[in-house]
Amino acid sequence: MAISEPDIHSVVIDGVPVFWAESHDPLRLAIMFRVGFGDEQLSWRGISHLVEHLALSGLAHQTYSYNGFVDDVRTIFHAQGSADQLVEYAQRVTNALANLPLDRITSERKVLESEQQSQPGGSWASHMSLRYGARGYGLVDYPQHGLRWVAGEQVSSWAAERFCKPNVAAWISGQPPNRLHFDLPADGKKVPQFLVESLALPTPCVTEHMANGVGVSMVGPRGPELVVAARIVDRRLKERLRWQQGVAYAPGCMYRPLSNDLAHLLLHSDASEEDADSVVETVLDVIRDLHLDGPTDAELTDERATRRAKVPSAATEMQLDLRCLSELTGRAWKPYDVWQREQDEVTRASAAHGIREAWANAIVLAPLGHKSRAASLNEYPMWSTHRIHGRSHRRRLLVPGGVPSGAMLVSSDQGVMLVNPDGRYISVGFASTAAVLRGSNETRYLIGLDGFGIGVDPREWNRIDELQRLIDAHVPVDRFVPMQAAEGEAPPRDGCEVCGAVPAREVTLKRKTVWRREETLKARFCRDCGRATGRAWQDFTLRRTLLGMMTIPAVIANSIALTQLTLLSAPQRKSGVDHWMPGRSVFLRLGFYVVFIPIAVIVLVALVVWLGVTESTG
């Protein structure tokens, strides 16, 4: 059934633009604010969601249905019911926004944390963070860190600046009731949409992930060409992967506007391990075919017929929603019939051109071990390109899950850089730090706006106090997020520094470096972690005997420490906490043989010489 253009009217109520159109009962109302998680910074992530929950917390049970949600660019409060019920809803929500119940922050935090744990990420979230890092649209892939620390002052300030009359519009699926009012603050200003700026990537590029799914993210000019192309891509993916090959259950393509000028296409498909290569190849083939030839005439005809056979009521509410969003973002509004006509005018050539423009900045996400079918593409950068020059921090202690042996940490007043043993590095500049997650054991995990992160564990590095002072002094205070102690994260003061087990004792280990510098490690260990570390240090020292770097005091000190640790009783630690296994005895390691074999040879030669001398004199 073809649908006619909704007749959208507008009226201003209490300074708020309200759009309405006649539809079917029951009435629906939506109050839309131009603020979403994309407007937040990583350390504040979730503050808009907290405002939304606080505003609705006083309604509790009602005889009409209502709810609210926050997406990337907007916060919406919506309800369905009679005219009187919608009037009451609007009044109570706007009153609450102007006078938030800050005493409920703690309670709503718990509700939001529970809600967050039940909402796993997806392909959209992964692609957004790969493309935009830890800002704007990329924040959808990050936890709501702001829930850990924002208090009444921050919440009130955020609500006053964003949830105000200059930054709101509303729609209702019927003529607005006479008693409809919006008691919102008049202060504040309309908030422009955040800048949509991609990371500097060598697109088109490919990377891998642990999930069993294939995705292709593309960004191109917003317009009818990409809208029509997305529907045809969706149809082709379903035909080939679901119906012809039978290798995927729910392939498809999603079109989503990002700004007034840009839109995003996400091609996605589930894929089993055995069919992953085939799915990757088919998805890329669909893009290539449209890239070269565009859709067929039959596909364009079918797309037009399908599009014009939508359900009228759903189309009306969709148009009202888009009209509100256009009002808030400043995008010129196109009436329904104009937008339909523009899509009707899309040709094979224009659709192909739209796909070509979007493919130029594509990111392909393949299951682990299955990117070979996209081998012609560039590799997605997994390491930084900007170096930090400063002081090097020597390694103090290896901990399970920490950075690999041989890694180096560099710091300066510009930022921090972690250098991998193979020379590749990750750097986070203080000026571009999105958040610092501060653990209960004084760990710092720095996350840059580009999404790269570096963990600084005080157990692992020397001169850690100096580094922590640098971080605290150069990163703005509102970027710090206090993290609750994870299982086994903060060992007890008398426990093992590696795993937190008791009993533990403090010992001193020594070794010589290649440059004849003596390193000393003074740390508290349980029996397992201590013997593992002590044996490694003793072996390190013994191996350097032939270089003339072994010192008797170091060997004696390590032997004493190992004896003390061996005398400890079996460690008691929390279940699931990683720890070091002692491994082979020092007497079964290379270092011992480096010392033992030369000594044995010398003793044997001396014995032979002595026996020869004795025999000759006898």
Side-chain angles (χ1 to χ4, degrees):
M1 176 177 60
I3 58 176
S4 59
E5 176 186 355
D7 190 8
I8 296 179
H9 309 273
S10 64
V11 63
V12 177
I13 301 176
D14 296 330
V16 176
V18 179
F19 302 94
W20 64 277
E22 294 294 348
S23 185
H24 302 287
D25 289 331
L27 286 174
R28 298 177 189 268
L29 168 71
I31 306 171
M32 182 186 301
F33 294 89
R34 222 309 291 144
V35 54
F37 62 74
D39 297 280
E40 303 165 356
Q41 61 191 34
L42 178 57
S43 57
W44 291 60
R45 170 89 163 90
I47 190 170
S48 301
H49 203 177
L50 182 56
V51 170
E52 177 251 317
H53 268 237
L54 290 172
L56 294 177
S57 63
L59 271 73
H61 174 72
Q62 298 294 329
T63 56
Y64 57 90
S65 63
Y66 72 91
N67 211 332
F69 66 86
V70 180
D71 65 16
D72 35 30
V73 298
R74 58 188 183 162
T75 299
I76 293 183
F77 300 90
H78 58 90
Q80 174 181 302
S82 66
D84 289 341
Q85 288 171 331
L86 297 189
V87 167
E88 177 193 359
Y89 178 75
Q91 181 179 6
R92 296 186 65 174
V93 168
T94 54
N95 282 340
L97 286 169
N99 302 278
L100 288 173
L102 301 180
D103 58 321
R104 286 197 55 84
I105 286 181
T106 301
S107 299
E108 294 304 324
R109 272 180 180 162
K110 294 179 180 179
V111 174
L112 286 166
E113 288 168 358
S114 177
E115 178 183 343
Q116 178 175 255
Q117 293 172 4
S118 65
Q119 294 180 341
S123 184
W124 167 263
S126 298
H127 279 284
M128 290 298 98
S129 61
L130 285 172
R131 185 175 295 278
Y132 298 108
R135 58 184 175 179
Y137 283 105
L139 291 178
V140 68
D141 202 27
Y142 289 85
Q144 298 179 85
H145 288 308
L147 300 180
R148 295 180 176 273
W149 71 275
V150 293
E153 179 182 356
Q154 291 81 18
V155 174
S156 295
S157 176
W158 185 263
E161 293 173 1
R162 311 276 177 157
F163 292 85
C164 53
K165 286 183 179 179
N167 205 42
V168 66
W171 64 260
I172 186 169
S173 59
Q175 188 167 355
N178 292 331
R179 296 186 298 109
L180 183 64
H181 291 286
F182 302 96
D183 298 324
L184 289 166
D187 298 334
K189 59 184 179 180
K190 180 175 287 190
V191 180
Q193 185 172 340
F194 52 86
L195 182 65
V196 181
E197 184 178 5
S198 176
L199 301 175
L201 302 173
T203 55
C205 58
V206 61
T207 188
E208 296 177 324
H209 65 156
M210 299 298 293
N212 291 326
V214 178
V216 180
S217 161
M218 300 189 293
V219 175
R222 180 177 176 177
E225 293 80 13
L226 271 190
V227 173
V228 172
R231 296 194 187 106
I232 292 171
V233 168
D234 183 86
R235 173 179 169 177
R236 288 194 181 186
L237 289 175
K238 287 180 169 61
E239 284 182 349
R240 297 190 187 184
L241 293 173
R242 177 70 175 91
W243 305 116
Q244 295 177 11
Q245 300 176 23
V247 294
Y249 175 70
C253 179
M254 179 175 67
Y255 170 93
R256 187 168 183 177
L258 296 177
S259 67
N260 290 345
D261 304 313
L262 296 174
H264 184 271
L265 288 189
L266 177 61
L267 289 71
H268 56 87
S269 177
D270 51 293
S272 65
E273 175 68 23
E274 61 180 329
D275 295 319
D277 285 336
S278 175
V279 173
V280 171
E281 185 173 16
T282 299
V283 170
L284 295 180
D285 283 347
V286 166
I287 298 173
R288 186 193 64 234
D289 292 346
L290 282 172
H291 178 287
L292 295 174
D293 304 320
T296 65
D297 291 332
E299 285 176 321
L300 288 174
T301 300
D302 183 74
E303 187 278 330
R304 293 183 190 117
T306 303
R307 169 169 36 88
R308 289 185 172 275
K310 300 292 183 181
V311 179
S313 61
T316 298
E317 293 180 4
M318 179 184 69
Q319 290 298 304
L320 287 168
D321 196 73
L322 292 173
R323 183 67 185 88
C324 260
L325 187 57
S326 295
E327 175 72 19
L328 294 175
T329 59
R331 177 177 170 81
W333 168 249
K334 291 183 180 179
Y336 180 80
D337 60 338
V338 174
W339 179 235
Q340 290 292 324
R341 188 164 58 249
E342 288 184 353
Q343 293 178 78
D344 289 343
E345 293 171 354
V346 172
T347 64
R348 295 178 61 184
S350 63
H353 179 72
I355 290 292
R356 281 195 293 273
E357 284 192 280
W359 172 251
N361 52 62
I363 300 174
V364 177
L365 194 56
L368 190 64
H370 295 281
K371 66 177 182 180
S372 59
R373 299 304 173 95
S376 61
L377 304 181
N378 298 313
E379 287 282 344
Y380 183 92
M382 304 303 293
W383 301 90
S384 300
T385 57
H386 172 67
R387 297 188 69 93
I388 300 292
H389 299 280
R391 300 186 66 177
S392 299
H393 295 260
R394 290 188 293 113
R395 193 62 172 272
R396 174 179 178 268
L397 179 66
L398 286 173
V399 299
V403 296
S405 177
M408 180 177 63
L409 195 66
V410 178
S411 68
S412 74
D413 57 3
Q414 300 300 310
V416 181
M417 179 174 69
L418 180 66
V419 183
N420 213 44
D422 60 9
R424 296 179 296 180
Y425 55 89
I426 291 175
S427 59
V428 178
F430 293 141
S432 58
T433 298
V436 178
L437 311 184
R438 194 200 312 253
S440 58
N441 60 347
E442 290 305 309
T443 58
R444 308 281 197 281
Y445 188 80
L446 290 82
I447 303 174
L449 290 173
D450 56 7
F452 285 117
I454 297 176
V456 179
D457 189 329
R459 298 172 296 173
E460 293 188 88
W461 304 100
N462 285 315
R463 299 207 319 268
I464 192 66
D465 291 342
E466 172 189 326
L467 177 54
Q468 289 175 335
R469 284 195 297 270
L470 270 177
I471 296 172
D472 295 349
H474 290 87
V475 177
V477 67
D478 65 351
R479 300 292 197 274
F480 286 85
V481 179
M483 303 297 289
Q484 183 179 357
E487 185 81 9
E489 178 193 33
R493 297 180 65 88
D494 59 347
C496 174
E497 290 188 34
V498 176
C499 69
V502 291
R505 71 171 298 156
E506 187 174 81
V507 296
T508 300
L509 300 172
K510 296 184 178 182
R511 68 183 180 186
K512 285 284 189 176
T513 67
V514 175
W515 304 110
R516 297 179 179 269
R517 177 190 299 168
E518 184 176 80
E519 288 185 357
T520 300
L521 171 62
K522 190 174 184 179
R524 181 176 291 276
F525 294 107
C526 67
R527 187 176 68 185
D528 291 345
C529 297
R531 287 197 296 173
T533 306
R535 288 173 178 178
W537 277 58
Q538 188 77 304
D539 182 57
F540 183 95
T541 302
L542 292 173
R543 288 187 187 205
R544 279 144 183 79
T545 299
L546 297 181
L547 299 178
M549 297 178 191
M550 186 188 76
T551 61
I552 294 177
V555 174
I556 293 174
N558 294 338
S559 299
I560 293 173
L562 283 168
T563 301
Q564 292 173 331
L565 292 165
T566 301
L567 294 175
L568 290 173
S569 58
Q572 304 295 317
R573 63 177 64 89
K574 293 181 179 179
S575 175
V577 175
D578 289 336
H579 63 282
W580 292 129
M581 297 299 294
R584 291 178 298 170
S585 167
V586 172
F587 302 109
L588 298 177
R589 301 189 184 213
L590 178 62
F592 175 76
Y593 295 107
V594 168
V595 175
F596 174 76
I597 292 176
I599 292 177
V601 170
I602 292 172
V603 170
L604 182 60
V605 170
L607 181 61
V608 170
V609 171
W610 180 77
L611 289 174
V613 171
T614 302
E615 184 177 342
S616 63
T617 57

